[in-house]
Each structure stands twice: as C-alpha cells, then as structure tokens.
Amino acid sequence: MYVCLCNGITESDVREAGRAGQVTPCALKAKFKLKGSGCCGRCARNIQEFVEIAVQGATTSCPRTTDR
C-alpha cells in the first residue's frame, strides 16, 4: 500500500528502511526526502505512521514483498 503518493513510497519501502535501522522521524524524512519539491507534505505531518511501519520492519526477520 502506498503511504506517500507524491513520492511513490510504499509500506514495504518504509519497512526496508526500518530493517536498515532508519526508525526515527528525522531519519525517515531524510531517507524519503519528505517535504521536498513536488511533495504535498502530508506524509511529513503524519510521520508517526512511517515510524510505526519502520519499527515493524525492524522487528520482522523476513522481508515482505507483497506490497509491490
């Protein structure tokens, strides 16, 4: 499922970032360039959703590839 339409970011992208250790709001904003040019900014305002998905990814041992 897409969590940011402007940048084409899916839940699996965010989980992958979590597995790479990027689970803080600042790390996720930098990784996905949230609030950048052409982005509406909604995902940056709802960054906690990204954090929750990333933390789930960080605690999951096997990657899920069904989102794409």
Side-chain angles (χ1 to χ4, degrees):
M1 172 183 276
Y2 283 95
V3 292
C4 176
L5 293 175
C6 298
N7 293 315
I9 302 167
T10 64
E11 286 183 16
S12 61
D13 295 330
V14 179
R15 280 191 205 97
E16 184 177 321
R19 285 190 295 276
Q22 297 167 319
V23 295
T24 65
C26 288
L28 292 168
K29 284 179 183 180
K31 161 100 175 125
F32 295 114
K33 298 176 178 77
L34 304 181
K35 295 178 85 173
S37 177
C39 185
C40 72
R42 179 179 291 162
C43 48
R45 288 190 304 272
N46 298 324
I47 191 66
Q48 191 57 37
E49 179 183 348
F50 277 63
V51 170
E52 290 170 11
I53 295 168
V55 168
Q56 289 172 359
T59 59
T60 303
S61 61
C62 143
R64 294 173 57 187
T65 59
T66 57
D67 290 343
R68 285 191 182 198

